[in-house]
Amino acid sequence: MLNRRSFLRNVGITGSLLTAPSLLLKAQPAATAGNIDLSSFTLKGKVLSQGKGIANVSVTDGINITQTDKNGQYELVSNATATLVYISVPAGYAIPEQNSIAAFYQPINKNNRTAKYDFHLSKLTVDDRKHNFVVWADTQMISKADAEQLKAQTVPDLQALLQSYPKETLFHGIGCGDLVWDHFELYEDYKAAIAMCGIPFYNVIGNHDMDLDARTDDHSTHTFKQQFGPTYYSFNRGDIHYVVLDDVFFIGVDKKYIGYLTENQLQWLEQDLALVKPGSTVVVSLHIPTFTGAARREKKEPELGGMVTNRKQLYKLLAPFKTHIMSGHTHFNDNWEEGNIMEHNHGTVCGAWWTGPICGDGTPSGYGVYEVDGADIKWYYKSTGFPKEKQVRVYPKGKVKNAPEEIAANVWNWDNKWKVEWYADGVLQGPMEQRVANDPWAEELYAGPQLPKKHKFVEPMLNDHMFFAKPAANVQKITVKATDRFGNVYEDTIG
């Protein structure tokens, strides 16, 4: 297997030059080593569909944003620190793709002081105000064996899900970071898995997608950009404006990072959102969650790599919109909502790093599914290998060690608008008690220094989605019914 450094050395020279970190780019030879080339040049071109220009399409170099005129033409003054020119795909058009990877960008040729970059789009034949998307958090493969599990388990599950919807249903995917686990040669396996699914995927950079031998954060995105394009960008589908951000800030020490959004991104995002009508629904995808309940559950200060430190600045920019934030990184399910913002921190495709069928909080390996109708979004968590109706797992008395007389239920995609009730021999007993606790199956699989055998660092994690009740001794059958905010009822029965 190629190691990281060998792999990077073998990357083609041309690709390296086109996507090199900004401080190393030279439009022409510099007299003094280390000089930063800030010379300006002009990016220009058209955004077209069947030869006809498309108006009001946002075009950016990752620094500033311009929009096409009525003829689809754009012109943007850039400088030699920019590496890519890309568009925010407008609503009503198909997502351009190459083997199911979204292809909305072009590398900038620094040898031309005025360079032309045209973008060609295809108009959709269906109304994209209704569409769906899936969020794959942390495919995180460290070996070919992991890659084969992705292809043998997750891919067929998503294929079956797509086939369960009407044929004309629009779907896209979001790979929510940690696409691999530091082994960049496995990007080819990730891409192969995506191609098998047959829907376009946009991708997010995670902490395990960074060049860890980089000198600074600026240089840590080099390989990811070669593979998937820019690390922050936007696109549109129907009435929804989508934004992808890079919130993994590499601090220059191997595998050390913080959750942080750079000023470059925030100033770019401010421009991007200025073109979105206030009150619109915005979906923001990033790897490290902006916030979770982990610190409260663990009763300790959060690690700087566990949440976005300057998240309040992001929230200020999102204040005019109805926002859903999609994140991964934690390997547990954690939904929170405040005001106009709801964050969905997803359980992972790899579960507990491909060690077993569940994450550390008991959430099954799987992914989020989101159904869009106009500005409204509904969602559910799809457990790999199970029907979408599988949303709760009930444990009999004795399974939870510190509550031996109680039954327990894990409702992994719970949020504060769910209702969780229980029935004893068919008779409604009322709501169950929510408590912070560990999932007993996760304890069985992962607790202790010798478990699991594959990755011994995996441990059970406290969660907010455990529910408890104390049945009478003579009860024979217990059913738990969990009703989500959309009125969907899910149940599990024991006895």
Side-chain angles (χ1 to χ4, degrees), residues 336-357:
W336 66 267
E337 185 174 17
E338 184 175 331
N340 66 310
I341 294 176
M342 183 169 188
E343 180 158 8
H344 310 259
N345 185 212
H346 296 79
T348 58
V349 170
C350 72
W353 295 267
W354 300 108
T355 58

Side-chain angles (χ1 to χ4, degrees), residues 27-170:
Q28 56 189 11
T32 304
N35 280 5
I36 302 173
D37 183 1
L38 295 176
S39 59
S40 64
F41 56 86
T42 301
L43 304 171
K44 61 194 313 183
K46 290 184 177 182
V47 181
L48 304 158
S49 178
Q50 295 185 330
K52 184 178 180 180
I54 308 171
N56 302 317
V57 177
S58 292
V59 184
T60 183
D61 58 357
I63 304 168
N64 292 315
I65 299 173
T66 190
Q67 287 196 304
T68 56
D69 64 17
K70 63 181 181 180
N71 298 314
Q73 294 181 322
Y74 72 89
E75 187 169 309
L76 178 64
V77 177
S78 186
N79 67 66
T81 65
T83 60
L84 300 168
V85 56
Y86 48 102
I87 64 171
S88 183
V89 177
Y93 292 86
I95 296 169
E97 60 179 274
Q98 184 172 2
N99 295 325
S100 292
I101 301 297
F104 57 98
Y105 60 93
Q106 296 184 48
I108 295 172
N109 185 342
K110 299 303 175 64
N111 294 322
N112 298 325
R113 308 316 293 169
T114 300
K116 185 178 182 182
Y117 301 93
D118 291 343
F119 294 88
H120 297 271
L121 300 174
S122 298
K123 196 162 184 62
L124 290 168
T125 58
V126 296
D127 185 353
D128 63 355
R129 286 177 295 180
K130 282 193 174 184
H131 67 270
N132 301 339
F133 65 97
V134 300
V135 176
W136 275 15
D138 300 73
T139 45
Q140 200 154 350
M141 301 167 288
I142 200 171
S143 66
K144 280 288 186 179
D146 291 349
E148 290 308 310
Q149 285 194 72
L150 176 68
K151 295 173 186 176
Q153 298 174 14
T154 310
V155 168
D157 192 272
L158 179 52
Q159 289 172 332
L161 176 86
L162 298 174
Q163 291 170 5
S164 71
Y165 284 84
K167 187 176 181 180
E168 68 277 6
T169 305
L170 290 173

Side-chain angles (χ1 to χ4, degrees), residues 113-279:
R113 308 316 293 169
T114 300
K116 185 178 182 182
Y117 301 93
D118 291 343
F119 294 88
H120 297 271
L121 300 174
S122 298
K123 196 162 184 62
L124 290 168
T125 58
V126 296
D127 185 353
D128 63 355
R129 286 177 295 180
K130 282 193 174 184
H131 67 270
N132 301 339
F133 65 97
V134 300
V135 176
W136 275 15
D138 300 73
T139 45
Q140 200 154 350
M141 301 167 288
I142 200 171
S143 66
K144 280 288 186 179
D146 291 349
E148 290 308 310
Q149 285 194 72
L150 176 68
K151 295 173 186 176
Q153 298 174 14
T154 310
V155 168
D157 192 272
L158 179 52
Q159 289 172 332
L161 176 86
L162 298 174
Q163 291 170 5
S164 71
Y165 284 84
K167 187 176 181 180
E168 68 277 6
T169 305
L170 290 173
F171 261 96
H172 68 272
I174 297 171
C176 211
D178 282 1
L179 311 181
V180 297
W181 189 351
D182 300 331
H183 284 256
F184 292 162
E185 68 274 12
L186 295 176
Y187 277 142
E188 292 307 312
D189 293 275
Y190 174 79
K191 289 182 173 182
I194 294 301
M196 292 165 67
C197 296
I199 61 172
F201 262 75
Y202 287 94
N203 294 287
V204 179
I205 190 170
N207 52 290
H208 288 291
D209 300 312
M210 299 188 301
D211 296 296
L212 297 180
D213 52 2
R215 191 164 73 178
T216 66
D217 180 68
D218 286 342
H219 297 187
S220 68
T221 60
H222 173 69
T223 301
F224 182 91
K225 286 181 177 179
Q226 284 183 324
Q227 299 288 330
F228 304 105
T231 60
Y232 58 93
Y233 53 91
S234 68
F235 61 98
N236 304 274
R237 183 153 263 198
D239 295 329
I240 309 297
H241 184 67
Y242 292 87
V243 175
V244 169
L245 296 174
D246 169 9
D247 66 349
V248 184
F249 189 88
F250 179 57
I251 62 173
V253 180
D254 190 28
K255 297 188 179 181
K256 299 294 184 182
Y257 55 88
I258 62 174
Y260 180 77
L261 293 165
T262 63
E263 176 60 24
N264 284 351
Q265 283 187 85
L266 292 175
Q267 67 85 27
W268 173 89
L269 180 60
E270 191 169 23
Q271 296 176 68
D272 179 79
L273 294 178
L275 301 169
V276 180
K277 181 180 177 182

Side-chain angles (χ1 to χ4, degrees), residues 435-482:
R435 295 207 296 266
V436 173
N438 283 332
D439 178 272
W441 192 15
E443 288 197 327
E444 181 182 319
L445 291 173
Y446 307 136
Q450 299 305 313
L451 293 174
K453 290 183 178 180
K454 184 175 179 179
H455 298 304
K456 290 184 173 56
F457 64 85
V458 176
E459 292 290 337
M461 292 182 282
L462 292 171
N463 69 75
D464 290 323
H465 43 75
M466 294 295 297
F467 294 82
F468 295 84
K470 188 176 182 179
N474 62 344
V475 172
Q476 300 295 309
K477 179 182 176 182
I478 293 172
T479 298
V480 173
K481 289 189 177 181

Side-chain angles (χ1 to χ4, degrees), residues 401-422:
K401 295 176 183 177
N402 60 0
E405 298 302 314
E406 294 178 291
I407 63 162
N410 191 335
V411 186
W412 42 81
N413 207 28
W414 175 86
D415 62 58
N416 60 15
K417 289 186 171 61
W418 283 62
K419 180 172 63 174
V420 182
E421 303 169 297
W422 70 291

Side-chain angles (χ1 to χ4, degrees), residues 312-368:
K312 291 185 179 179
Q313 301 305 319
L314 174 64
Y315 299 161
K316 285 180 182 179
L317 294 178
L318 295 171
F321 310 101
K322 181 180 178 181
T323 302
H324 290 269
I325 298 175
M326 308 291 161
S327 57
H329 186 58
T330 60
H331 294 248
F332 58 65
N333 244 41
D334 194 4
N335 299 309
W336 66 267
E337 185 174 17
E338 184 175 331
N340 66 310
I341 294 176
M342 183 169 188
E343 180 158 8
H344 310 259
N345 185 212
H346 296 79
T348 58
V349 170
C350 72
W353 295 267
W354 300 108
T355 58
I358 58 174
C359 300
D361 68 337
T363 298
S365 305
Y367 50 95

